[in-house]
């Protein structure tokens, strides 16, 4: 429960703070004061295992000493010189070239996920052949809250509808198949329709997609989905633009989730896990795209905080640790343990409709019953708050709980966090 100091602090904030915070902040009502590794401490001194890793940003946990040292050292030297070269930028570029797939050999730096998505859209529009004036995206996708990112998925605000020039295809949401089919007898009909409506259309320039849909509830595609779509896009001249803002950096057990599905994107966007929660984003692409004169006009990849030395320091320190300590291998090992425990939990409770995930990214979908599968946001909310009271922080969104612990977690703390989650589910679903 929220203690007195936190209650007073929240009341003080509420006098001037606009509403509209995340569900987890609204229902959690915690004031977090400190973070060390996988543990958060609130203003009243209560501690929590952070199985949301900030907002899926803290791949190395909170306050990793090497990231702290890199930021502290850089803060004493230089903060912002627009996008001019600085001593560490070349090193980060070379590090990315080692970690990313070979075809993604050219990079531009930005500050947020939405900003880098907008940059990718500009590249697509600048390099598209005449007549290719449509862009494909997937239903249930999320690419940010800026206008271009919203228009991709036809996200209306208020009474205003801005569908833009995008064409929506079916995402691989097997648990709630919009076609009323069952895998595998469906023969992956959703992929066939994406291929027909997007990949094979001569007026479509690109398909912007999340390899694993994160905000929608960690929707993992079945075998055959991306194999059919990616090949058809390549044959049809449709660029593959991978939104790896959430998954990039090793979260799913590969540096890019695209690698797990055999996708070779032409452009990829990374942000959350690349710089330990410091605002930073990367647009990675094929040289023939990012160096095209039409896409590389003066200022095309510049913005106020792009290439800022502090962001570069945080990203370089974070990714050097990921590389040196072979943490992506660690993600796969911990992910297997996590899957075993979550599958056992799923089998016990019909209201836990489905568990989905890869590596250290998992979604728990709560429903009213196993047959009707009506979403149960009240149940998810109760599990979230109960787990928080027990000392476990997760990520809440509607009827979905997401789990994304730091890569540096050890087996004992992983076991403890999953035990707390199990206790929370048991208390809510009696």
């Amino acid at each position: 429960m929220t203690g007195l100091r936190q209650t007073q602090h929240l009341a003080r904030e509420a006098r001037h703070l606009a509403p509209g915070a995340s569900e987890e902040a609204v229902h959690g009502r915690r004031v977090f004061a400190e973070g060390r590794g996988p543990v958060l401490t609130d203003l009243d001194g209560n501690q929590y295992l952070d199985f949301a890793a900030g907002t899926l940003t803290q791949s190395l946990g909170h306050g990793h000493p090497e990231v702290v040292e890199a930021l502290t050292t850089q803060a004493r030297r230089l903060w912002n010189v627009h996008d001019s070269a600085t001593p560490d930028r070349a090193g980060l570029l070379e590090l990315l070239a080692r970690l990313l797939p070979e075809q993604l050999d050219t990079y531009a730096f930005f500050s947020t996920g939405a900003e880098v998505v907008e940059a990718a859209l500009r590249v697509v529009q600048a390099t598209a052949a005449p007549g290719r004036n449509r862009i494909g995206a997937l239903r249930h996708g999320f690419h940010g809250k800026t206008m271009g990112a919203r228009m991709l998925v036809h996200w209306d605000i208020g009474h205003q509808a801005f569908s833009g020039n995008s064409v929506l295809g079916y995402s691989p949401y097997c648990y709630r198949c919009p076609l009323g089919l069952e895998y595998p007898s469906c023969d992956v009909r959703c992929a066939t329709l994406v291929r027909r409506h997007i990949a094979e259309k001569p007026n479509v320039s690109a398909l912007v997609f999340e390899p694993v849909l994160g905000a929608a509830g960690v929707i993992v595609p079945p075998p055959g989905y991306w194999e059919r779509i990616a090949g058809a896009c390549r044959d049809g001249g449709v660029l593959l633009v991978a939104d790896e803002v959430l998954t990039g950096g090793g979260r799913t057990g590969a540096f890019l989730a695209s690698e797990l599905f055999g996708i070779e994107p032409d452009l990829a966007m990374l942000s959350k896990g690349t710089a330990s929660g410091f605002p930073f984003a990367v647009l990675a692409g094929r040289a023939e795209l990012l160096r095209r004169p039409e896409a590389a006009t003066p200022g095309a990849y510049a913005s106020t905080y792009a290439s800022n030395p502090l962001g570069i320091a945080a990203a370089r320190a974070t990714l050097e640790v990921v590389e040196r300590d072979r943490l992506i291998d660690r993600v796969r090992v911990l992910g297997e343990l996590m899957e075993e425990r979550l599958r056992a939990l799923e089998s016990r409770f019909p209201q836990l409709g489905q568990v989905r995930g890869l590596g250290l990214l998992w979604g728990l979908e709560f429903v009213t019953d196993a047959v009707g599968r009506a979403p149960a946001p009240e149940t998810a909310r109760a599990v979230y708050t109960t787990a928080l009271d027990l000392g476990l922080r997760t990520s809440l969104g509607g009827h979905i709980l997401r789990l994304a612990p730091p890569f540096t977690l050890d087996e004992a703390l992983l076991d403890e966090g999953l035990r707390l989650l199990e206790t929370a589910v048991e208390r809510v679903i009696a």
Side-chain angles (χ1 to χ4, degrees):
M1 299 294 290
T2 308
L4 178 60
R5 290 183 67 193
Q6 295 181 88
T7 300
Q8 291 173 336
H9 184 91
L10 291 168
R12 180 183 169 196
E13 279 195 343
R15 297 189 189 103
H16 300 287
L17 184 67
S22 65
E23 287 186 74
E24 61 185 62
V26 169
H27 299 294
R29 294 186 55 77
R30 295 304 197 276
V31 182
F32 293 111
E34 187 176 349
R36 290 289 181 270
V39 178
L40 288 166
T41 304
D42 69 24
L43 201 57
D44 292 309
N46 304 303
Q47 292 191 323
Y48 309 82
L49 280 174
D50 188 7
F51 271 35
T55 175
L56 286 80
T57 51
Q58 310 306 120
S59 301
L60 306 183
H62 296 273
H64 190 282
E66 292 181 53
V67 180
V68 171
E69 176 62 27
L71 279 168
T72 303
T73 300
Q74 187 60 55
R76 294 193 186 104
R77 292 176 178 166
L78 183 67
W79 286 24
N80 193 312
V81 284
H82 201 203
D83 57 349
S84 294
T86 52
D88 284 343
R89 189 165 70 175
L92 177 58
L93 291 166
E94 291 163 352
L95 175 59
L96 287 167
R98 293 198 302 271
L99 292 170
L100 283 160
E102 185 177 4
Q103 81 274 9
L104 301 176
D105 61 358
T106 305
Y107 317 111
F109 297 140
F110 298 92
S111 58
T112 68
E115 187 184 24
V116 76
V117 168
E118 296 283 350
L121 293 177
R122 292 196 298 273
V123 172
V124 169
Q125 292 165 341
T127 59
R132 287 191 179 268
N133 56 1
R134 309 296 296 276
I135 297 177
L138 298 180
R139 291 175 173 86
H140 305 295
F142 177 79
H143 304 288
K145 297 176 182 177
T146 51
M147 181 68 80
R150 282 173 29 216
M151 289 171 70
L152 272 175
V153 294
H154 302 188
W155 177 8
D156 300 339
I157 297 292
H159 300 293
Q160 303 299 313
F162 299 106
S163 59
N165 63 344
S166 68
V167 181
L168 293 182
Y170 289 108
S171 61
Y173 200 171
C174 295
Y175 187 69
R176 298 186 182 280
C177 177
L179 305 173
L181 303 175
E182 294 284 340
Y183 182 83
S185 61
C186 63
D187 194 29
V188 203
R189 178 70 172 167
C190 54
T192 300
L193 293 175
V194 172
R195 188 176 63 192
R196 180 182 302 168
H197 296 151
I198 295 174
E200 296 174 353
K201 290 290 186 180
N203 65 341
V204 174
S205 57
L207 171 61
V208 181
F209 64 94
E210 298 167 271
V212 175
L213 283 77
V218 192
I219 297 174
V220 180
Y225 182 82
W226 281 120
E227 290 86 343
R228 295 189 184 190
I229 294 171
C233 284
R234 189 73 61 214
D235 293 342
V238 174
L239 296 177
L240 289 163
V241 182
D243 184 341
E244 301 252 9
V245 165
L246 186 150
T247 51
R251 172 62 59 187
T252 61
F255 193 73
L256 294 182
S258 297
E259 299 175 77
L260 298 175
F261 303 104
I263 308 168
E264 295 185 2
D266 300 288
L267 297 170
M269 300 87 82
L270 303 84
S271 184
K272 285 184 180 292
T274 59
S276 292
F278 199 90
F280 198 72
V282 180
L283 174 61
R286 296 180 185 271
E288 60 264 31
L289 285 173
L290 293 185
R291 296 182 186 274
R292 280 268 296 273
E294 299 90 338
T297 55
Y301 303 127
S303 74
T304 300
Y305 305 107
S307 278
N308 80 83
L310 287 165
I312 287 170
R316 185 174 179 182
T318 300
L319 296 179
E320 282 179 344
V321 173
V322 169
E323 180 186 45
R324 183 197 67 208
D325 295 350
R326 302 180 63 86
L327 289 182
I328 296 177
D329 293 341
R330 182 75 179 153
V331 168
R332 289 193 287 269
V333 171
L334 293 176
E336 290 176 1
L337 298 174
M338 202 165 178
E339 178 173 15
E340 182 180 350
R341 291 285 298 277
L342 291 175
R343 296 291 179 209
L345 190 64
E346 178 187 37
S347 68
R348 291 179 54 199
F349 299 99
Q351 294 95 327
L352 182 46
Q354 191 178 54
V355 165
R356 309 179 283 266
L358 289 169
L360 289 180
L361 176 63
W362 289 83
L364 284 66
E365 180 162 356
F366 290 91
V367 296
T368 55
D369 61 86
V371 177
R373 298 183 180 179
E378 299 85 1
T379 303
R381 191 180 309 136
V383 172
Y384 167 75
T385 55
T386 302
L388 203 56
D389 290 341
L390 290 169
L392 176 69
R393 178 174 178 261
T394 61
S395 177
L396 172 68
H399 67 297
I400 306 288
L401 281 187
R402 290 186 301 178
L403 306 177
F407 303 174
T408 50
L409 201 70
D410 62 32
E411 285 89 343
L413 286 178
L414 178 68
D415 182 73
E416 173 65 9
L418 293 174
R419 185 191 66 77
L420 293 173
L421 176 67
E422 183 175 9
T423 300
V425 173
E426 288 172 344
R427 290 187 182 182
V428 171
I429 306 175

